[in-house]
Amino acid sequence: MTIAPTAPPVTGGPSLPQRRELVTEIPGPRSRELHARKTAAVADGVGVTLPVYVEAAGGGILRDIDGNSLIDFGSGIAVTGVGNSAPAVVEAVSAQVAAFTHTCFTITGYEGYVAVAEKLNELTPGDFDKRTALFNSGAEAVENAVKIARHHTGRQAVVAFDHAYHGRTNLTMALTAKAMPYKSGFGPFAPEVYRAPLSYPFRDGGLSGEAAAARAISVIEKQIGAANLAAIIIEPIQGEGGFIVPAEGFLPALQRWARANDVVFIADEVQTGFARTGAFFASEHEGIEPDLIVTAKGIAGGLPLSAVTGRADIMNSAHAGGLGGTYTGNPIACAAALATIESYRSENLVERARELETLFRGRLNALRVNDRRIGDVRGRGAMMAIELVDPATGEPDAALTGRVAAAAHAAGLVLLTCGTYGNVIRFLPPLAISDELALEGLDVLRDALAAS
Ligand code: PMP
């Protein structure tokens, strides 16, 4: 009997060679073959940005099944801040898998869940007494934050903002602003969700943060009435909506108004959280202490986990059994989160995000000097973006944005777009990326812009 040779185990993590290398066209033949299987097996609604199939990842590199090594400027949408298959995460997860995989925390508990709650209570802005509840996805945590705020206030209305993205479940679709692709045809949506205007410095004529907040508050008072409003929910920097950093003063003014009117102020830090913006949480940049803060993505090094953390009196208002779910706060995800959160601290990744901001901002501003199609360079930390426009009119140029992304993909750079108008290129590198690789990725971007 002959024994089939076993393939060597595929390993990612930081030991994966940190260089861009293309050995086939992108996507290569194996990826194309797998993509045909995907098309035959997976629902079309599950779209794919770049049909390259990954076999290993680490640092700033994704290696595909054709042997191509691509530079990662997406981190799986701001998830793998500590890097893919970060050794501390792999070790913690392996140990937890070997011990037990699941009990359902609301049946019989385990320390990991409690320890993650303790860490979040300690790390999130505000010195007040806090509680945390864990969930699986960002959208699920947002839903629960709204549930909690409604239960606490006894009110129903919720305000979200223009350009907001909060998820694809029914309530979060209602909170999300953009119809295509997130909402179109999927209604009816949850009631009692209202929309207020945002501060969007590049597009609102230099309106100050205070003035933009006054505009939003006026809409809220006239159209809803503070007495009916349970919560305001806002991303401190909008993610999918276009990496919009509101003018200074906008968030503090909104929070002051919410506090004065007993409205729960919810910060959706699903994309901005965990060192990404050069602070542990983006709320910190303007001294905001949200009543509730929603986290996910960067919390657990790639495992599905999310949380709502906030004032104990608000969090504790819901009755036992009102919050939870079979998998919420899964022990493996909690083990990953503890290792991940420790890595942000021990590897000084908040500082690293600031360094990456300097690197990206410098290069992007230099590109903008010679290319008036780059209307705006913005963002914080390792959450930077460029907004592409028609230089003659300032109108959004989504077609150009698509061409630049496609050219970058073909050259081995995973680059994501976003924005209500589809004209923003966003940069979300793993914080574990090296300067060399980040600069090389920015060279690919420069060439992609030049060719588009
Ligand atoms: N809120 C924000 C700000 C997000 O960026 C996202 C995901 N892009 C979500 C909520 C939804 O998170 P999930 O995809 O994990 O449900």
Side-chain angles (χ1 to χ4, degrees), residues 77 137-140 142 165-167 235 240 268 270-271 296-297:
I77 319 189
S137 68
E140 190 184 2
V142 168
Y165 182 88
H166 297 290
E235 301 153 80
E240 305 303 311
D268 178 345
V270 167
Q271 192 154 162
K297 289 190 188 282

Side-chain angles (χ1 to χ4, degrees), residues 333-425:
C334 286
L338 292 171
T340 300
I341 292 168
E342 184 48 38
S343 296
Y344 286 120
R345 285 173 148 174
S346 62
E347 294 169 27
N348 295 322
L349 294 180
V350 171
E351 187 51 39
R352 180 66 191 141
R354 291 199 203 127
E355 287 170 10
L356 285 167
E357 173 173 347
T358 305
L359 184 149
F360 274 79
R361 197 182 285 287
R363 280 294 186 98
L364 296 172
N365 278 331
L367 284 174
R368 184 168 174 234
V369 169
N370 298 315
D371 190 341
R372 293 183 53 240
R373 298 173 303 172
I374 303 177
D376 197 20
V377 174
R378 60 175 179 253
R380 287 191 201 272
M383 185 173 181
M384 298 295 297
I386 53 176
E387 178 158 351
L388 298 181
V389 297
D390 176 338
T393 62
E395 285 300 304
D397 196 339
L400 169 65
T401 309
R403 289 197 303 276
V404 173
H409 295 166
L413 174 66
V414 178
L415 197 61
L416 306 180
T417 62
C418 64
T420 296
Y421 315 111
N423 68 324
V424 177
I425 293 181

Side-chain angles (χ1 to χ4, degrees), residues 210-285:
E210 289 278 346
R215 179 176 66 177
I217 289 164
S218 163
V219 168
I220 295 169
E221 287 180 337
K222 292 197 173 56
Q223 296 185 17
I224 308 153
N228 302 308
L229 187 56
I232 284 178
I233 180 162
I234 190 161
E235 301 153 80
I237 298 174
Q238 284 195 324
E240 305 303 311
F243 280 31
I244 305 164
V245 185
E248 204 182 323
F250 179 72
L251 294 170
L254 277 183
Q255 185 179 34
R256 278 195 303 277
W257 181 87
R259 196 155 287 168
N261 290 281
D262 296 321
V263 170
V264 177
F265 185 91
I266 306 172
D268 178 345
E269 293 237 19
V270 167
Q271 192 154 162
T272 51
F274 296 98
R276 175 58 51 190
T277 67
F280 226 97
F281 296 100
S283 295
E284 294 167 35
H285 293 294

Side-chain angles (χ1 to χ4, degrees), residues 157-238:
V158 180
V159 161
F161 285 79
D162 285 338
H163 311 288
Y165 182 88
H166 297 290
R168 290 186 178 92
T169 58
N170 189 261
L171 174 59
T172 59
M173 274 194 296
L175 295 168
T176 290
K178 191 173 174 178
M180 270 305 278
Y182 307 125
K183 304 170 72 163
S184 199
F186 296 129
F189 304 110
E192 287 303 318
V193 172
Y194 300 87
R195 199 161 303 287
L198 185 75
S199 160
Y200 189 163
F202 180 61
R203 294 205 170 270
D204 62 15
L207 200 62
S208 72
E210 289 278 346
R215 179 176 66 177
I217 289 164
S218 163
V219 168
I220 295 169
E221 287 180 337
K222 292 197 173 56
Q223 296 185 17
I224 308 153
N228 302 308
L229 187 56
I232 284 178
I233 180 162
I234 190 161
E235 301 153 80
I237 298 174
Q238 284 195 324

Side-chain angles (χ1 to χ4, degrees), residues 32-342:
R32 287 204 301 272
E33 206 179 299
L34 199 44
H35 195 59
R37 278 173 56 199
K38 181 264 178 194
T39 305
V42 179
D44 285 349
V46 184
V48 173
T49 302
L50 171 55
V52 148
Y53 287 75
V54 173
E55 79 170 4
I61 288 289
L62 299 171
R63 192 177 69 211
D64 74 12
I65 55 176
D66 288 288
N68 299 299
S69 292
L70 292 85
I71 298 177
D72 181 12
F73 272 6
S75 302
I77 319 189
V79 170
T80 51
V82 293
N84 247 301
S85 297
V89 175
V90 172
E91 197 182 315
V93 164
S94 306
Q96 183 58 52
V97 169
F100 64 96
T101 49
H102 176 78
T103 66
C104 189
F105 185 76
T106 56
I107 305 295
T108 50
Y110 38 87
E111 188 182 355
Y113 189 120
V114 178
V116 171
E118 288 168 346
K119 281 262 182 277
L120 291 173
N121 295 346
E122 175 206 328
L123 279 172
T124 49
D127 279 339
F128 39 82
D129 191 21
K130 294 182 200 140
R131 295 291 187 277
T132 285
L134 300 181
F135 302 97
N136 298 291
S137 68
E140 190 184 2
V142 168
E143 294 242 1
N144 278 278
V146 171
K147 273 171 67 173
I148 293 164
R150 284 177 167 159
H151 202 280
H152 172 74
T153 56
R155 304 171 181 170
Q156 295 187 352
V158 180
V159 161
F161 285 79
D162 285 338
H163 311 288
Y165 182 88
H166 297 290
R168 290 186 178 92
T169 58
N170 189 261
L171 174 59
T172 59
M173 274 194 296
L175 295 168
T176 290
K178 191 173 174 178
M180 270 305 278
Y182 307 125
K183 304 170 72 163
S184 199
F186 296 129
F189 304 110
E192 287 303 318
V193 172
Y194 300 87
R195 199 161 303 287
L198 185 75
S199 160
Y200 189 163
F202 180 61
R203 294 205 170 270
D204 62 15
L207 200 62
S208 72
E210 289 278 346
R215 179 176 66 177
I217 289 164
S218 163
V219 168
I220 295 169
E221 287 180 337
K222 292 197 173 56
Q223 296 185 17
I224 308 153
N228 302 308
L229 187 56
I232 284 178
I233 180 162
I234 190 161
E235 301 153 80
I237 298 174
Q238 284 195 324
E240 305 303 311
F243 280 31
I244 305 164
V245 185
E248 204 182 323
F250 179 72
L251 294 170
L254 277 183
Q255 185 179 34
R256 278 195 303 277
W257 181 87
R259 196 155 287 168
N261 290 281
D262 296 321
V263 170
V264 177
F265 185 91
I266 306 172
D268 178 345
E269 293 237 19
V270 167
Q271 192 154 162
T272 51
F274 296 98
R276 175 58 51 190
T277 67
F280 226 97
F281 296 100
S283 295
E284 294 167 35
H285 293 294
E286 286 200 73
I288 301 291
E289 294 181 352
D291 298 315
L292 302 180
I293 180 164
V294 182
T295 54
K297 289 190 188 282
I299 193 173
L303 276 88
L305 188 71
S306 62
V308 183
T309 300
R311 290 182 184 278
D313 59 325
I314 301 177
M315 290 296 296
N316 281 339
S317 77
H319 45 265
L323 308 177
T326 306
Y327 295 112
T328 52
N330 168 270
I332 303 166
C334 286
L338 292 171
T340 300
I341 292 168
E342 184 48 38

